[in-house]
Amino acid sequence: MKALNLSALSILSLENMGKEGGKSGKRTAKYLSISQALRDAIKSGKAKPLEQLPSARQLALQLNTNRHTVMAAFNELIAQGWIVSQERKGYFVAEDLPVNSSQQVKSVAGIGVFQDSKSSSFNWQFTKSVEPSAVQVKPNYRFNFAGGMPDIALFPFNEFKSYTSEVFSRPNINELNYGNTAGYLPLIEQITEYLRRARSLINREIVITNGSQEALYILSQILLCSETSVATEAMGYEPAWKAFKSAGANVVSIKQDNKGMIPSALEEAIKLQIKRNKPIKLIYLTPLHQYPTTVTLPVSRRHAIYRIASAYNIAIIEDDYDHEYHYKCQPLAPMASDDPNGLVIYLSTFSKVMFPGARIGFMALDKTLSDAVVNYKTIINHKVNVPMQDAIARWMKAGDFERYLRKATKVYNQRRDFMVQQLMHYQTLGKVTSFTVPDGGMAMWVEISQSAEQLAKKALDNGIFIQQETQFLVDKTQSQDRFIRLGFAGMHIENIELGLKCIFTLIKEQ
Ligand SMILES: Cc1ncc(COP(=O)(O)O)c(C=O)c1O
């Protein structure tokens, strides 16, 4: 057996062995540097299985170090399975090399060589869509007019900190363990009471989720399959469609007008999908502030849609993502509050009343569905972060949650009014064609006098983020290319003014 040619190995250039180690300022023991260099040589294929290594004495001489240091490096590699020692013969690269989890093994001329994961050529066969998320957050926009963005800087962090500190000073040991998948009981109690008072919602089982998105995913997995369809408003929330599609379901766009989904169009689509053998099993709705147009679905349409759903045995997901922010009057009670058949699945979130990173949402469900949801949730993640649930429960119980809601609603109302004033000005210049003052929500739906897609692109080139009609359409071919969505909640009025000025200088005066 031929001994390994050391000059082929980079380990001889270990001049810095045992010296100060990089930014950390920590010394790397010399024997570890040697074992690392040998390991690298083996992984890269420079030293091949069964090849003999130089003796410890030879290597020590060449590396200008002590024989014991080299022996320590060899012993380390033996323990890890990279080399073996043969009595009276010396040290050899092991025949079966240990597989390092971050690397892939590739066969080069019959010899196992470790490849860096960056250069791996493994051919992954994906069974689900793995396109990037529709929710793209880039914090470095000059002006961010994203529609549903709360002003996170308004959040009372100091106040909330006192509740998190209580949580950790008196930890609830039982709750910090597995179990109680439906959620932390004190938070469930607070939400139940809040829904009763603020939304006339009673007799519901609450399941706490990692934001509404997890709820959408769980519901999709247990209620949908590739033989089913979901009816959605023609314009809507893409992350919801993606959850439905992840279960193989077909997403059917239902015509909407300036009042929201049109019930007769829904019934037509239901009949058609039955004929096509892909029956609609779910209707996904944003009735209070239609996403993205913010119009409120009138009571008569709610009743009509409910009657249709009951008649065809279809469940409704009511996504009430920003119920709290309603300015004109008391918001309409959710459809789930008048649900004799128990077919409405109510979803809400703390992403707008706190911040999306809190990842706390909830479902308010009929008893007949909640066990299945909870059982499925255990497969995904057992439960939602308990200290966060506990802190929110305390925050709600003390009344500080609703105090903050009142404050944020007042601020967002002022920002909406300011944006309305501004848009009226741009309307007189002919740059804005039309808009309706939203009764609530966090954004305005604005018709402009040129291509919305082009404007959004130009704005982005200028560091301004705005969303436009086509992005929200299930069927992109239906775009009139005239509407943009301008969020007003997340920005101070000075920035709203400056940002709008920048946007509308990109449109020529009419
Ligand atoms: C229509 C709609 N539903 C739900 C959510 C909230 O999702 P999550 O609770 O997963 O943050 C949003 C957030 O933008 C939304 O726009």
Side-chain angles (χ1 to χ4, degrees):
M1 185 72 52
K2 199 162 78 94
L4 182 64
N5 177 3
L6 269 179
S7 62
L9 303 180
S10 54
I11 61 165
L12 291 179
S13 58
L14 295 174
E15 283 154 7
N16 292 327
M17 274 190 323
K19 300 224 172 108
E20 293 297 308
K23 282 184 194 149
S24 70
K26 287 185 186 149
R27 280 175 71 90
T28 307
K30 209 168 191 174
Y31 84 93
L32 286 177
S33 303
I34 299 173
S35 62
Q36 178 66 49
L38 277 165
R39 202 167 29 242
D40 288 347
I42 298 169
K43 281 183 187 179
S44 66
K46 285 177 187 161
K48 302 199 167 62
L50 299 177
E51 199 162 0
Q52 186 168 17
L53 295 176
S55 72
R57 199 174 46 79
Q58 269 178 316
L59 196 50
L61 214 65
Q62 292 186 56
L63 293 174
N64 196 19
T65 189
N66 187 305
R67 192 172 66 89
H68 295 291
T69 306
V70 178
M71 288 295 293
F74 281 176
N75 286 337
E76 158 115 347
L77 292 172
I78 291 171
Q80 293 171 354
W82 294 98
I83 65 172
V84 290
S85 148
Q86 287 184 20
E87 224 178 320
R88 282 195 287 274
K89 283 191 180 158
Y91 296 93
F92 295 81
V93 178
E95 187 172 7
D96 293 320
L97 297 173
V99 175
N100 183 319
S101 61
S102 68
Q103 288 155 330
Q104 307 290 327
V105 181
K106 190 182 166 199
S107 179
V108 174
I111 295 162
V113 171
F114 287 81
Q115 282 213 312
D116 204 48
S117 54
K118 272 179 263 161
S119 60
S120 157
S121 58
F122 187 76
N123 180 19
W124 297 106
Q125 311 265 310
F126 297 110
T127 58
K128 301 266 168 167
S129 158
V130 286
E131 286 154 30
S133 155
V135 184
Q136 302 276 348
V137 179
K138 293 205 184 87
N140 53 354
Y141 294 122
R142 266 168 72 215
F143 301 103
N144 188 347
F145 284 93
M149 199 180 61
D151 188 347
I152 298 175
L154 273 187
F155 185 75
F157 287 101
N158 268 335
E159 175 184 288
F160 195 75
K161 196 173 78 183
S162 66
Y163 297 112
T164 53
S165 138
E166 276 177 24
V167 169
F168 288 110
S169 35
R170 284 188 291 280
N172 186 335
I173 301 293
N174 285 337
E175 285 292 334
L176 291 172
N177 214 325
Y178 292 113
N180 285 352
T181 301
Y184 182 58
L185 195 59
L187 180 59
I188 290 181
E189 285 166 0
Q190 288 304 317
I191 291 175
T192 305
E193 176 54 17
Y194 174 66
L195 290 181
R196 186 188 65 76
R197 274 189 301 105
R199 304 191 195 172
S200 311
L201 211 60
I202 52 169
N203 297 329
R204 295 257 150 181
E205 297 291 310
I206 304 297
V207 179
I208 313 286
T209 54
N210 285 283
S212 318
Q213 193 60 33
E214 186 189 41
L216 288 164
Y217 181 75
I218 293 173
L219 293 167
S220 305
Q221 295 302 311
I222 63 175
L223 297 175
L224 301 172
C225 66
S226 55
E227 279 87 50
T228 61
S229 300
V230 181
T232 69
E233 294 135 328
M235 279 188 279
Y237 184 54
E238 194 175 2
W241 315 333
K242 285 198 159 185
F244 306 144
K245 287 179 186 169
S246 78
N250 177 35
V251 173
V252 179
S253 160
I254 309 294
K255 204 166 175 204
Q256 68 181 79
D257 60 13
N258 61 357
K259 289 182 180 149
M261 184 183 275
I262 301 172
S264 57
L266 171 67
E267 189 157 18
E268 248 172 64
I270 290 171
K271 287 178 184 161
L272 188 65
Q273 288 307 121
I274 291 172
K275 274 195 208 143
R276 288 179 173 165
N277 279 331
K278 283 215 172 191
I280 289 173
K281 291 290 175 191
L282 269 180
I283 301 167
Y284 172 73
L285 282 178
T286 46
L288 185 63
H289 303 137
Q290 202 274 329
Y291 184 96
T293 61
T294 74
V295 297
T296 299
L297 191 69
V299 174
S300 56
R301 287 210 183 171
R302 292 173 183 228
H303 286 162
I305 290 173
Y306 191 89
R307 275 196 303 272
I308 295 169
S310 298
Y312 290 91
N313 202 29
I314 297 171
I316 296 174
I317 294 181
E318 177 176 25
D319 185 353
D320 205 9
Y321 59 101
D322 64 355
H323 186 103
E324 293 77 9
Y325 302 130
H326 205 77
Y327 316 116
K328 190 179 166 203
C329 51
Q330 274 299 309
L332 277 184
M335 291 175 76
S337 67
D338 183 12
D339 176 20
N341 295 349
L343 60 82
V344 182
I345 302 163
Y346 181 80
L347 306 189
S348 196
T349 179
F350 282 80
S351 289
K352 313 290 176 182
V353 294
M354 290 181 72
F355 36 84
R359 299 318 301 141
I360 302 285
F362 58 89
M363 305 188 222
L365 305 161
D366 194 79
K367 252 190 162 21
T368 47
L369 180 61
S370 58
D371 280 354
V373 163
V374 170
N375 292 343
Y376 196 84
K377 183 166 160 52
T378 57
I379 303 173
I380 302 174
N381 57 17
H382 292 291
K383 64 200 299 181
V384 172
N385 181 318
V386 173
M388 181 56 105
Q389 292 188 69
D390 192 349
I392 295 175
R394 288 166 198 263
W395 187 47
M396 291 180 87
K397 190 171 182 189
D400 287 339
F401 161 69
E402 286 185 60
R403 218 180 342 272
Y404 170 62
L405 273 189
R406 284 193 291 277
K407 179 182 163 190
T409 308
K410 200 168 151 195
V411 172
Y412 294 171
N413 193 351
Q414 286 163 355
R415 292 179 183 176
R416 179 204 62 169
D417 292 348
F418 182 76
M419 191 178 260
V420 168
Q421 264 180 26
Q422 292 284 305
L423 292 176
M424 281 163 65
H425 164 67
Y426 291 109
Q427 198 167 18
T428 60
L429 299 179
K431 299 189 176 198
V432 164
T433 308
S434 71
F435 64 91
T436 23
V437 180
D439 295 344
M442 302 163 91
M444 291 189 61
W445 189 244
V446 180
E447 187 181 5
I448 56 168
S449 58
Q450 69 154 65
S451 157
E453 242 174 90
Q454 277 175 21
L455 179 66
K457 267 195 206 115
K458 277 195 234 165
L460 201 58
D461 291 342
N462 286 274
I464 306 165
F465 180 76
I466 53 177
Q467 292 159 292
Q468 47 80 25
E469 189 187 342
T470 316
Q471 287 172 275
F472 301 108
L473 278 160
V474 178
D475 177 359
K476 311 287 181 208
T477 64
Q478 296 297 308
S479 180
Q480 299 171 60
D481 195 19
R482 275 287 177 272
F483 288 89
I484 56 172
R485 188 170 198 244
L486 295 174
F488 54 75
M491 258 192 278
H492 282 274
I493 52 175
E494 298 80 25
N495 280 343
I496 293 179
E497 183 173 14
L498 275 173
L500 289 180
K501 202 170 171 181
C502 294
I503 292 172
F504 287 110
T505 49
L506 300 171
I507 299 184
K508 285 194 206 85
E509 275 188 43
Q510 298 290 301

